[in-house]
Amino acid sequence: MPRHPRIPDAGVTRLSLYLRELSRLEGEGASFVSSAELARALTLTSAQVRRDLSYFGQFGTSGRGYEIRRLKRIIPRILGLEGRMWRVALVGSGNLGSALLAYRGFRERGFVIKAVFDKDPRKVGRVVAGQRVEEAGWLADVVRGRRIQIGIIAVPAVAAQEVCRRLVRGGVRAILNFAPVSLAAPPHVKLRNVDLSVELESLSYYLSSLNANR
Amino acid sequence: MPRHPRIPDAGVTRLSLYLRELSRLEGEGASFVSSAELARALTLTSAQVRRDLSYFGQFGTSGRGYEIRRLKRIIPRILGLEGRMWRVALVGSGNLGSALLAYRGFRERGFVIKAVFDKDPRKVGRVVAGQRVEEAGWLADVVRGRRIQIGIIAVPAVAAQEVCRRLVRGGVRAILNFAPVSLAAPPHVKLRNVDLSVELESLSYYLSSLNANR
DNA sequence: GCCAGGTTGTGAATTTTTTCACAAACTTAC
DNA sequence: GTAAGTTTGTGAAAAAATTCACAACCTGGC
């Protein structure tokens, strides 16, 4: 197991982006890439790319850049994606939940959905993207029984906190929350939020300051 | 039009969160809130809350905190949400696109979907959540004609860059991208990316460093 | 009016993150 | 083998964001 240095949260995010970009480059037949190229593709600076990678070791070759194949082996190792599958529970099989279920990239990135829950009896039992929707009542027990590590919350805002509590009770240590509420969870549980309104509102801020500031 | 100070990007995001939390508090019958309470609810520090707000003025009362009604008027003004609707085009009516269309919070937050596009002829003409899906061929012209300001990209990765180009050609100045690619756009166009894989991978990093570090 | 209690707004200090800038290292061409 | 041309990795500097800490202020009670 690698001993990770302290890297900015945004840095971890960028590692994912590097990985994605590397696949694209490989698809184009490239075998080396410089920090400058990578930076250009992702609108970063080359120093930033080099710094991010240097937290974990020395992977480049002066005068050549980074070997794509090598980086594509190393970054998943850093991100904890190597030689394992993370077991995920999806809670909520509405529009968003179904969209997430249908997402193909899931599995190839190292995540397997091991359970899908819904509270609505009419949805329970249905099969969505190969997964049978289960009764949310036993959530915590099922999550524990199947040794699920990550929970995805795709339920309405009012239900989200309760779902969060149950996921935590089931032993989950990381949660990706799509509900537009701010959840409370114990400190050992890592929470990430994805919120459409927040994103749109930040675009709004940007657009309206275009007119305001000069 | 307010002249905005330079506030960290993350600060803008937090303003949205404050707004959401204020609605919740108001629903509970509160009329004042202190920076400490707001911070607790959102896992921030009280200094951060005060700092974020102080970029735009002095809204609090010593000894009392912030008047909720007042903040709920002021934050939308800061975010450029007051007395206007932003006109949005959604491109891609697949699973994710449909989920976005169904999202009710949209309109009440000040965003109206004025067009939905899809390339697939089988989807064109269908009505999803009250919106007729239109042929993506004329995207740029329609976007310009309807004076659309914001584009949401919910198409597969391979198609995203082309959609982006057309949105920009149609005059859009802000884009919310859900496709897992890094898009190139001119500097006057504000891009925000929402990427499921990136989020999950950062959870993976966190989870695996739990075991590694100590 | 005065005091006790509570909270803001913000300089200053601190911490975090990014960028600069360059020696060292590697490659390619001849 | 050498020279010219690239590109890395990283100290050091700079910039950005957060946190500290406290004077000033407001409220409510008496």
Side-chain angles (χ1 to χ4, degrees):
Chain A
M1 275 286 124
R3 178 169 247 95
H4 292 167
R6 195 161 286 95
I7 183 185
D9 227 28
V12 177
T13 295
R14 287 193 298 266
L15 287 180
S16 284
L17 298 179
Y18 299 155
L19 192 53
R20 204 171 65 186
E21 189 61 19
L22 290 165
S23 296
R24 204 186 59 74
L25 287 164
E26 198 175 42
E28 289 187 344
S31 61
F32 276 81
V33 63
S34 68
S35 57
E37 283 175 83
L38 221 35
R40 193 163 349 100
L42 299 169
T43 13
L44 303 168
T45 68
S46 66
Q48 200 162 35
V49 173
R50 294 197 300 278
R51 177 72 70 194
D52 285 341
L53 294 172
S54 78
Y55 282 118
F56 303 96
Q58 308 191 160
F59 309 123
T61 309
S62 305
R64 291 268 264 156
Y66 298 88
E67 192 195 353
I68 292 176
R69 288 244 311 281
R70 173 136 186 254
L71 269 194
K72 279 198 65 186
R73 269 199 319 277
I74 285 163
I75 295 178
R77 192 176 306 159
I78 296 170
L79 291 175
L81 299 169
E82 192 189 45
R84 58 133 57 249
M85 292 297 256
W86 292 104
R87 306 161 70 86
V88 178
L90 170 65
V91 192
S93 69
N95 282 297
L96 178 59
S98 307
L100 295 174
L101 264 174
Y103 177 51
R104 314 229 69 252
F106 243 144
R107 196 171 201 108
E108 63 200 43
R109 289 287 189 155
F111 300 87
V112 208
I113 298 202
K114 285 289 180 186
V116 180
F117 297 100
D118 207 300
K119 191 161 68 176
D120 184 344
R122 287 167 306 181
K123 287 183 185 155
V124 172
R126 288 205 313 208
V127 176
V128 185
Q131 288 282 334
R132 189 174 156 282
V133 178
E134 303 178 59
E135 169 57 53
W138 316 89
L139 202 154
D141 294 328
V142 175
V143 163
R144 186 171 297 283
R146 296 190 197 157
R147 304 194 319 286
I148 284 168
Q149 297 128 335
I150 299 176
I152 300 183
I153 301 182
V155 303
V158 285
Q161 181 60 66
E162 175 59 19
V163 167
C164 174
R165 239 188 300 277
R166 291 186 188 187
L167 284 169
V168 171
R169 193 137 46 77
V172 149
R173 310 213 107 202
I175 294 177
L176 184 52
N177 172 43
F178 286 88
V181 252
S182 176
L183 299 176
H188 67 273
V189 175
K190 177 78 168 183
L191 255 175
R192 300 269 306 198
N193 297 289
V194 176
D195 188 327
L196 182 62
S197 307
V198 169
E199 300 294 334
L200 283 173
E201 287 173 6
S202 97
L203 291 181
S204 168
Y205 176 82
Y206 168 78
L207 284 173
S208 65
S209 54
L210 279 188
N211 309 325
N213 286 337
R214 231 184 22 82
Chain B
M1 277 284 125
R3 178 170 246 96
H4 293 167
R6 194 163 286 95
I7 183 186
D9 225 29
V12 177
T13 294
R14 287 194 298 267
L15 287 181
S16 284
L17 298 179
Y18 300 154
L19 192 53
R20 204 169 66 187
E21 189 61 19
L22 290 166
S23 297
R24 204 187 58 74
L25 287 164
E26 197 175 44
E28 290 187 345
S31 61
F32 276 81
V33 64
S34 69
S35 58
E37 283 175 82
L38 221 35
R40 192 163 350 98
L42 299 169
T43 13
L44 303 168
T45 68
S46 65
Q48 200 161 38
V49 173
R50 293 197 300 279
R51 179 72 70 194
D52 286 341
L53 294 172
S54 78
Y55 283 118
F56 302 97
Q58 309 191 159
F59 309 123
T61 310
S62 305
R64 292 268 264 155
Y66 298 89
E67 193 195 352
I68 292 176
R69 288 243 315 279
R70 172 136 188 256
L71 270 194
K72 280 197 64 187
R73 268 200 319 277
I74 286 164
I75 295 179
R77 192 176 306 161
I78 296 171
L79 292 174
L81 298 169
E82 192 190 45
R84 57 135 54 249
M85 292 297 254
W86 291 104
R87 306 161 70 86
V88 179
L90 171 64
V91 192
S93 69
N95 282 296
L96 178 59
S98 306
L100 295 175
L101 264 173
Y103 178 50
R104 313 227 70 253
F106 243 143
R107 197 174 198 105
E108 64 201 42
R109 289 287 188 154
F111 300 87
V112 208
I113 298 200
K114 285 291 179 185
V116 180
F117 298 99
D118 207 299
K119 192 161 68 176
D120 183 344
R122 287 167 307 183
K123 288 184 185 154
V124 173
R126 288 207 312 210
V127 176
V128 185
Q131 287 283 333
R132 188 173 159 282
V133 178
E134 303 178 60
E135 168 58 52
W138 315 91
L139 203 154
D141 293 329
V142 174
V143 163
R144 186 171 297 284
R146 296 191 196 154
R147 304 194 319 284
I148 285 168
Q149 296 128 336
I150 298 177
I152 301 183
I153 300 182
V155 302
V158 285
Q161 180 60 66
E162 175 59 19
V163 167
C164 174
R165 239 188 300 278
R166 291 186 189 186
L167 284 168
V168 171
R169 191 137 48 77
V172 149
R173 309 213 109 202
I175 293 177
L176 184 51
N177 172 42
F178 286 89
V181 254
S182 176
L183 299 176
H188 67 271
V189 175
K190 177 78 166 182
L191 255 174
R192 302 267 307 196
N193 297 288
V194 175
D195 188 326
L196 182 62
S197 307
V198 169
E199 300 294 334
L200 283 172
E201 287 173 3
S202 95
L203 290 180
S204 168
Y205 176 83
Y206 169 79
L207 284 173
S208 64
S209 54
L210 279 187
N211 309 323
N213 288 337
R214 232 187 18 83

